[in-house]
Amino acid sequence: MTAAAFLAILSHWRRHPLQLATLIAGLALAAGLWSAVQAINAEARASYARAAEQLGTAGVARLIPESGTISVARYASLRRSGWQLAPVLEGVIRFERQNFDIMGVDLLQHPLAPALTKAAEAEAVSPLEALLPPGRIFAHPETAVHLAASQNVHPVTETEALPPGVALADLSLASRLLRRPDSLSYLLVLPDQAQGLKPLSDLAPGLTLVPASTAASETARLTDSFHLNLTAFGLLSFAVGLFIVQGTIALSLEQRRGMIRTLRSLGVPMRLVSGLIAAELAFLALAAGIAGLAGGYLVAAVLLPGVNATLAGLYGAPVDGSLSLRPGWVLSGLAMTLGGTFLAGAQSLFALWRMPLLAAPATHARGQNARRSHLAGAVCGVASIAGGVLILTMFQGLISGFAFLGALMLGAALLLPLLISTGLSLGARLAKRPFAEWLWADTRAQLPGMSLALMALLLALAANIGVGTMVSSFRLTFTGWLDQRLFAEVYVTTASDVQGTELARWLDAQGIKALSRRYHDTRFKGAPLRIYGFEDDTAYRSNWPLLDALPDVWDQAVSGQAVLVNEQLARRHGLAPGDRFELEPGWQLPIAGVYSDYGNPHGQAMVSMPSLLEHAPDIPNRQFGLRVASHDISGLINSIREEFDIPRKNITDQATAKARSLAVFDRTFVITAALNLLTLGVAGFALLTSLLTLWNQRLPQLAPVWAMGLTRRQLASAEILRSLILAAFTAVLALPLGLVLAWALLSVINVEAFGWKLPMYLFPLDWLRLFLLALLAAVIAAALPARRLSRIDPAELLRVFTNER
Amino acid sequence: MNARIALSALICVWATSALPQGYAGLGTVAEGFAFPQQETRLEFPLDHGPHPDFRIEWWYLTANLMGEDGADYGIQWTLFRSALAPGEAESWQSPQIWMAHAAVTSEDQHLFAERIARGGVGQAGVQSMPFEAWIDNWVMRSSDETIEKISLSADGRNFSYDLALSADGPLILHGDHGYSVKSASGQASHYYSQPHYQVSGTIELPDGPVKITGHGWLDREWSSQPLAEDQSGWDWFSLSFGNGEKLMGFVLRSETRDFTSGTWISADGTAEPLTPGSFQATPLKTSHVKGREIPTRWQVSLPAKRVSVEVQALNPQSWMGASFSYWEGPVTVTGSHSGKGYLEMTGYE
């Protein structure tokens, strides 16, 4: 009996293949976008973990300075108190035009020593040669190629033991290159310590012990916000996908009411029927989930290079490797699909369960309950928005920002039916002719069946407006900021400090002002801090993008009496002009100004060059910004190249530098744009399925109108018109929601994720484009039902009168 | 572990010439380094300190101890200096590498540890005024520029010791005023000792602390190529007899002809260099130690002083499985003379 009943239930799909396709497509879309995002996140995280492991830092605790750096003497004294520590000095070194992250380690102490020894021996090189001048660099083969191409002083040993992007050298070489003979970035606490040692907290109160579990994940922590962003997008797509599924499941059950009634009359218990339907849903969910995973894998594979570029561009986090199937996202994808299917089917299943044995498959008493349910939805919506606002005002942090966004979107979606219905009532009042009145009223009557699809459209449109506004505002701000920041006409990087000094002297003789760009890397409250030295120039006074400053900011800074900090640093630590700031232990200055510094996740400070050199005398001097009249630029570049042995690529004019920065910026948001478009596509699809779902119920309502004399073609146009009206209302309502979303992204999420707040700009042309896109989606979605309607056999319409229920 | 790799690497550096280079590459040619000169006269306290122009140097202390439980113990504390290039430089640029071994040996336990450090940064080093030799928290320290009274400490994962040493005899200069010849072809080192330490203190073992007293022997040696190319290792004895006389003797093993030498120290502390070949040591019995056969019982004779003794390892398994491995442990002496001492055997690969 069970088998027969199951076959009867399944037979529905044979008669409604399009419905089956919709259901599977909806589920697959939801599962696909979700798992694509998860796959990308999993890949990136695995890559960070691999990098940490390859640097030998996984499973090893670290001692990090609260502020400043660790002196070598401090290291020696900790060693002399018995602790087995391995010193590490990190910094950036520029060879030719390329920057390399250099990691200096004591080759005799570092956990990686065995692997490096092996690598050196494989090249028939003595590993100890690396301790003597000129020193040897170890790098991943990919990075080794760049290193070998950019310099030929230090031989490079290739090793897969290191992650790409890192140049590892013994401290003898690293401290020489970075000109930091006396400072260290952090210390690794090696395993196997002797017992009974004095605790590190007593010996080194200024150093923070970061346990092994978190020490490896500095990159992971830095990029968390980005991954949270992607996850939010994935969830949005998933939710939109579920709207499709919900409609389809409801329809399939409604259409099977008759059959179910028959089955029950034949003695099949309700429990079995429900169980069979649940089994059917589970089976469909699994099938669709697997299809979705396959699709998600493809999407992720296409998007991954863009994501990697973003991560590298925004955070300097190198992500390598291609996509691989990981049980984490595969299983979570399937589980989400199953859970989502039952969530979407819950209401229908419950209704089925409660259906009286012989209840007729009555048509819905549409319109009568609608007003009440719209009101209830609106109340929930307002409550949800209020809750979101409350969360935002009460809690700090990225999660609360996203919770606010989630509550806002959900609340707006719940408010949508009431708003549209109110709008439609107003429209009906304006209608003069009967056809128009019918159209308005009929549209309103369709609302309950379409409201979920419209909510999906609302969310997709709002997300598009919000994210689009955020990206465009960011780009505009960024472009303006680049103009301010890159004020020198020519940028030159010399091969050595000696050449740098010669260049500066030569330029001086030519009467050209050269502003050197020198910095010192240290730490503030455990996080990296880069201190730049600047030379007094009117360009700083007129151009530098200050957000907040004391009146005589530049005079104070130039005299060495004050420091400027970037926005990230100020926000992270609640600093404002007038506050005192400790750059390094024993070096305190008042803050004179805060400047914007986009595209950099780390804290930064600026002091006058003399006062920087006083505290860090040996920093490299290889980068220069030259101030020249614009017509002299190419001549100057040529004469520098004639005079000095500097490759062309190490001399950049302002325009090229800007173009390069903008290219990085644009690449950063490729993934966002792609996900945006995909979400909109899913929403359009939801609209189509809801229209198809309504199709069968439409006939009894359309047949009388047809009988009154409207042609099928007119009915079909009315169908399209109705879809357009609903989409237009939704799009109009999506605009304010999208703008609130944009505001939240710019002023809440960005501040939490990156540490900078961006001004919001409005782009009405983009809205118009999106509005038209929504209408287009509505037309496409209505086209199929309209086409069917225009070709329907009149007999079928007639049958409504003969045989209705 | 890392240190082992590092030191294997060190040895690799030395092992670059093609011919057999002897133990730990000590037989290779050393370019740019200073060489021991026969006319050099040692000066103290200066020569207690390091000689960075020489390639290799050590501060080597061993002690035979008796616990209050009546059991025999031995301890070792060794600081090696090994230069990748002659001379010293600031901070990480220093070409000096320091390595240390510490061990505690009893009849049934041999516990040891190794430390390794870069020169130039203060993690390890030796200074002569006041005298202090250190690596990490292992320290040999005097309160003045002599090495008459020193304190000594070291620890490993499962042992530690903290000892006070006080010399009751003079420094001993080996060979010709401290110029000690190591092969027939003239390889040599500068070599002096303080073999007259009275020792007291505590050693911590896995079972708990043991108070000990006994006698210690410090060796100081530096060179740049102490072994001839064909010498593969050495057997070195420092024996203290019950009557106050002491004998330091070594056999440098070679494919062609072993080279032996040593110093006789009379009870009043007078040193008498032995003519090459007069000191004889013959293995009587070997033990299986970490996969190799090691002589742990010897017949030692010095006919000129009527010495004919058997030297027996307290613990035959006194293997120092460190970056470069060797056998080092306390011995007991019976026969014409009785006493205790230390035995070091290298090159048994």
Side-chain angles (χ1 to χ4, degrees):
Chain A
M1 183 179 76
T2 310
F6 198 41
L7 279 179
I9 286 173
L10 286 182
S11 70
H12 170 80
W13 300 115
R14 206 175 55 232
R15 279 179 287 125
H16 299 90
L18 187 62
Q19 207 175 75
L20 179 66
T22 312
L23 181 61
I24 290 189
L27 275 174
L29 263 177
L33 285 183
W34 169 257
S35 43
V37 165
Q38 292 309 308
I40 288 171
N41 282 350
E43 206 55 59
R45 292 213 174 97
S47 185
Y48 309 147
R50 200 160 48 235
E53 198 171 311
Q54 284 184 320
L55 288 176
T57 51
V60 182
R62 293 182 188 192
L63 269 183
I64 288 179
E66 265 298 306
S67 61
T69 53
I70 304 176
S71 70
V72 170
R74 185 69 180 281
Y75 160 67
S77 97
L78 286 173
R79 288 285 313 209
R80 293 203 62 184
S81 54
W83 282 91
Q84 299 282 81
L85 307 167
V88 180
L89 172 65
E90 287 181 332
V92 177
I93 181 77
R94 204 173 169 85
F95 292 126
E96 299 276 303
R97 207 191 73 203
Q98 207 173 349
N99 279 334
F100 293 92
D101 287 329
I102 192 152
M103 188 164 122
V105 304
D106 180 352
L107 279 182
L108 299 185
Q109 306 282 358
H110 198 267
L112 272 181
L116 301 176
T117 306
K118 226 165 89 189
E121 281 164 358
E123 292 182 359
V125 169
S126 150
L128 284 190
E129 204 187 84
L131 305 184
L132 294 172
R136 179 166 286 274
I137 300 178
F138 297 85
H140 187 271
E142 256 173 51
T143 314
V145 173
H146 297 296
L147 276 165
S150 326
Q151 55 88 39
N152 52 15
V153 180
H154 313 289
V156 182
T157 291
E158 295 185 3
T159 169
E160 298 275 353
L162 289 169
V166 173
L168 185 141
D170 181 67
L171 269 164
S172 54
L173 173 59
S175 66
R176 218 160 49 227
L177 288 173
L178 297 168
R179 302 250 195 137
R180 289 167 62 185
D182 292 322
S183 62
L184 296 166
S185 304
Y186 59 89
L187 307 174
L188 297 177
V189 183
L190 298 172
D192 286 345
Q193 301 289 342
Q195 284 165 3
L197 298 175
K198 239 186 185 181
L200 282 168
S201 50
D202 296 354
L203 291 168
L207 303 182
T208 315
L209 182 67
V210 185
S213 52
T214 52
S217 58
E218 196 159 319
T219 320
R221 205 165 52 241
L222 202 60
T223 52
D224 257 355
S225 52
F226 178 80
H227 294 297
L228 197 58
N229 250 317
L230 279 187
T231 305
F233 248 113
L235 262 179
L236 181 66
S237 312
F238 187 74
V240 168
L242 285 192
F243 283 124
I244 306 174
V245 176
Q246 202 269 353
T248 319
I249 293 176
L251 176 68
S252 79
L253 286 179
E254 186 150 322
Q255 286 173 339
R256 280 185 280 186
R257 276 191 172 201
M259 177 215 294
I260 289 165
R261 191 184 45 176
T262 312
L263 282 175
R264 293 193 63 191
S265 308
L266 289 171
V268 182
M270 190 61 217
R271 191 185 293 272
L272 182 61
V273 174
S274 315
L276 288 175
I277 288 181
E280 173 200 84
L281 282 183
F283 175 73
L284 286 174
L286 271 182
I290 289 166
L293 284 179
Y297 184 86
L298 289 179
V299 172
V302 171
L303 294 181
L304 196 63
V307 173
N308 292 354
T310 304
L311 288 168
L314 268 184
Y315 303 99
V319 184
D320 69 320
S322 50
L323 198 62
S324 52
L325 277 175
R326 289 175 194 280
W329 64 262
V330 170
L331 290 178
S332 95
L334 284 179
M336 285 286 282
T337 322
L338 265 177
T341 308
F342 282 99
L343 193 69
Q347 194 206 345
S348 310
L349 272 174
F350 185 67
L352 182 71
W353 179 257
R354 287 197 15 201
M355 190 174 79
L357 178 61
L358 290 174
T363 48
H364 284 204
R366 287 189 206 293
Q368 289 159 22
N369 286 334
R371 184 88 200 155
R372 206 159 3 130
S373 77
H374 286 171
L375 270 175
V379 169
C380 291
V382 170
S384 169
I385 293 175
V389 172
L390 202 66
I391 289 174
L392 190 62
T393 46
M394 285 177 61
F395 301 101
Q396 289 268 310
L398 204 57
I399 303 280
S400 100
F402 275 111
F404 164 72
L405 281 186
L408 176 74
M409 303 274 273
L410 178 70
L414 288 172
L415 269 171
L416 183 72
L418 181 70
L419 293 176
I420 293 189
S421 140
T422 312
L424 290 173
S425 307
L426 290 175
R429 257 186 240 167
L430 296 175
K432 295 281 183 280
R433 293 172 44 214
F435 173 72
E437 268 182 51
W438 170 76
L439 187 65
W440 285 111
D442 185 53
T443 307
R444 226 178 121 200
Q446 299 308 312
L447 197 53
M450 299 211 25
S451 55
L452 275 176
L454 293 175
M455 287 179 192
L457 185 63
L458 176 84
L459 296 188
L461 288 173
N464 260 282
I465 295 172
V467 174
T469 306
M470 188 267 280
V471 173
S472 302
S473 297
F474 195 175
R475 196 173 193 282
L476 205 60
T477 312
F478 187 71
T479 317
W481 173 81
L482 274 183
D483 286 341
Q484 292 178 310
R485 188 88 182 235
L486 297 177
F487 57 72
E489 281 73 20
V490 178
Y491 293 85
V492 186
T493 303
T494 60
S496 64
D497 297 312
V498 177
Q499 195 179 45
T501 317
E502 283 168 10
L503 176 71
R505 202 176 297 135
W506 182 82
L507 287 167
D508 198 39
Q510 312 284 312
I512 293 168
K513 178 125 186 179
L515 300 170
S516 66
R517 193 180 128 88
R518 306 173 73 172
Y519 56 82
H520 169 57
D521 284 324
T522 170
R523 274 179 184 266
F524 178 72
K525 299 215 166 144
L529 171 71
R530 177 165 289 185
I531 307 172
Y532 274 97
F534 75 96
E535 291 169 311
D536 191 18
D537 189 84
T538 49
Y540 280 106
R541 293 168 187 263
S542 55
N543 273 323
W544 203 249
L546 289 176
L547 297 171
D548 192 6
L550 299 179
D552 49 352
V553 43
W554 290 109
D555 290 333
Q556 283 198 34
V558 166
S559 68
Q561 298 303 305
V563 58
L564 282 84
V565 296
N566 71 353
E567 186 185 2
Q568 291 84 309
L569 191 66
R571 285 191 190 279
R572 222 165 279 155
H573 302 289
L575 301 170
D579 293 351
R580 286 192 79 77
F581 179 67
E582 188 175 50
L583 292 114
E584 285 207 305
W587 185 15
Q588 269 202 3
L589 287 175
I591 295 170
V594 177
Y595 58 94
S596 56
D597 183 20
Y598 305 119
N600 163 29
H602 298 299
Q604 203 182 79
M606 276 169 68
V607 293
S608 72
M609 190 68 83
S611 67
L612 176 66
L613 292 179
E614 197 181 301
H615 288 89
D618 269 338
I619 48 179
N621 185 25
R622 298 178 191 176
Q623 288 165 265
F624 300 90
L626 315 185
R627 306 299 319 274
V628 276
S630 53
H631 56 270
D632 293 342
I633 291 175
S634 57
L636 175 66
I637 290 178
N638 287 335
S639 32
I640 290 178
R641 295 203 55 207
E642 275 166 28
E643 201 70 26
F644 298 91
D645 180 25
I646 298 177
R648 179 67 183 87
K649 59 183 180 180
N650 286 7
I651 309 180
T652 316
D653 61 74
Q654 194 187 60
T656 315
K658 278 182 189 167
R660 209 177 281 148
S661 299
L662 268 182
V664 170
F665 179 90
D666 287 339
R667 213 170 47 225
T668 302
F669 287 100
V670 166
I671 168 112
T672 317
L675 278 177
N676 239 340
L677 211 62
L678 282 173
T679 315
L680 196 62
V682 172
F685 194 68
L687 208 57
L688 169 71
T689 59
S690 67
L691 287 172
L692 288 175
T693 306
L694 290 173
W695 168 255
N696 279 17
Q697 295 162 355
R698 294 285 294 145
L699 279 190
Q701 292 159 359
L702 291 176
V705 187
W706 169 74
M708 281 181 224
L710 280 185
T711 63
R712 286 172 298 169
R713 180 174 286 276
Q714 279 170 317
L715 283 179
S717 325
E719 203 68 9
I720 290 185
L721 203 56
R722 183 181 307 111
S723 179
L724 277 175
I725 291 173
L726 289 174
F729 266 112
T730 310
V732 168
L733 290 172
L735 181 60
L737 179 62
L739 293 182
V740 176
L741 187 63
W743 168 82
L745 286 172
L746 288 167
S747 307
V748 181
I749 304 285
N750 267 338
V751 175
E752 293 297 340
F754 308 109
W756 58 66
K757 190 171 180 169
L758 296 163
M760 183 160 146
Y761 296 98
L762 302 180
F763 302 88
L765 271 180
D766 283 357
W767 306 341
L768 186 65
R769 197 167 47 88
L770 204 61
F771 185 75
L772 293 177
L773 211 59
L775 294 189
L776 184 68
V779 170
I780 293 174
L784 191 62
R787 191 178 133 89
R788 258 209 221 169
L789 194 58
S790 68
R791 296 185 176 180
I792 196 169
D793 190 352
E796 217 169 307
L797 287 165
L798 276 176
R799 207 160 46 230
V800 170
F801 301 105
T802 59
N803 189 25
E804 200 219 333
R805 321 275 167 200
Chain B
M1 176 64 202
N2 297 326
R4 180 165 311 164
I5 300 295
L7 257 288
S8 329
L10 258 182
I11 290 158
C12 282
V13 167
W14 291 332
T16 40
S17 66
L19 287 165
Q21 306 85 21
Y23 175 70
L26 291 179
T28 48
V29 179
E31 270 178 50
F33 288 103
F35 283 88
Q37 303 296 329
Q38 190 159 9
E39 56 277 15
T40 301
R41 292 293 170 265
L42 302 187
E43 286 173 43
F44 300 105
L46 209 61
D47 279 322
H48 293 320
H51 302 81
D53 290 338
F54 290 80
R55 199 172 60 176
I56 183 130
E57 178 162 22
W58 53 67
W59 291 255
Y60 211 123
L61 195 139
T62 52
N64 293 96
L65 306 169
M66 168 87 69
E68 52 184 1
D69 53 359
D72 281 324
Y73 295 94
I75 64 103
Q76 179 198 343
W77 191 105
T78 315
L79 181 62
F80 299 95
R81 181 189 59 76
S82 167
L84 300 175
E88 186 54 297
E90 290 266 292
S91 193
W92 302 107
Q93 308 309 321
S94 164
Q96 304 289 335
I97 292 175
W98 297 84
M99 186 183 64
H101 291 162
V104 175
T105 312
S106 68
E107 222 169 317
D108 53 2
Q109 284 190 102
H110 176 75
L111 309 170
F112 68 92
E114 180 176 67
R115 293 295 175 91
I116 189 154
R118 302 289 286 271
V121 296
Q123 187 193 340
V126 176
Q127 62 179 38
S128 49
M129 285 175 279
F131 174 78
E132 184 176 10
W134 78 92
I135 183 165
D136 293 344
N137 55 333
W138 298 6
V139 185
M140 180 193 284
R141 180 187 289 141
S142 162
S143 55
D144 55 27
E145 71 275 6
T146 74
I147 53 170
E148 299 276 296
K149 285 186 179 358
I150 56 175
S151 62
L152 186 75
S153 64
D155 64 3
R157 246 189 322 151
N158 48 8
F159 74 91
S160 69
Y161 54 73
D162 200 346
L163 309 175
L165 293 83
S166 172
D168 58 4
L171 292 177
I172 302 299
L173 308 184
H174 298 288
D176 178 8
H177 296 88
Y179 178 82
S180 167
V181 176
K182 293 291 194 270
S183 82
S185 50
Q187 267 77 20
S189 67
H190 292 299
Y191 185 7
Y192 71 90
S193 300
Q194 170 48 276
H196 303 291
Y197 281 120
Q198 299 295 327
V199 185
S200 66
T202 310
I203 53 181
E204 290 275 351
L205 292 168
D207 301 336
V210 183
K211 273 200 156 55
I212 50 81
T213 53
H215 300 277
W217 181 310
L218 171 71
D219 266 358
R220 283 278 293 114
E221 192 160 10
W222 60 97
S223 180
S224 289
Q225 191 193 359
L227 295 193
E229 277 192 1
D230 63 342
Q231 289 175 335
S232 59
W234 66 80
D235 306 307
W236 174 93
F237 298 81
S238 63
L239 308 176
S240 300
F241 302 124
N243 59 8
E245 291 168 328
K246 298 175 197 296
L247 169 63
M248 184 282 289
F250 55 82
V251 181
L252 288 159
R253 298 192 305 279
S254 155
E255 284 166 7
T256 48
R257 197 161 156 269
D258 290 354
F259 181 87
T260 81
S261 185
T263 304
W264 177 261
I265 304 163
S266 58
D268 64 1
T270 321
E272 196 180 316
L274 306 180
T275 49
S278 59
F279 173 84
Q280 290 299 326
T282 319
L284 293 177
K285 180 174 175 260
T286 63
S287 300
H288 196 69
V289 180
K290 301 280 178 209
R292 44 177 82 67
E293 289 301 315
I294 303 262
T296 50
R297 184 174 212 174
W298 291 78
Q299 168 67 43
V300 168
S301 57
L302 181 62
K305 297 291 175 188
R306 289 199 235 349
V307 172
S308 173
V309 291
E310 267 189 34
V311 172
Q312 165 71 44
L314 174 67
N315 180 348
Q317 301 298 323
S318 302
W319 184 251
M320 297 294 288
S323 299
F324 61 84
S325 43
Y326 55 99
W327 193 102
E328 173 97 35
V331 292
T332 49
V333 183
T334 51
S336 66
H337 295 63
S338 63
K340 289 178 182 173
Y342 246 80
L343 168 60
E344 175 178 279
M345 297 178 281
T346 68
Y348 289 89
E349 289 306 327

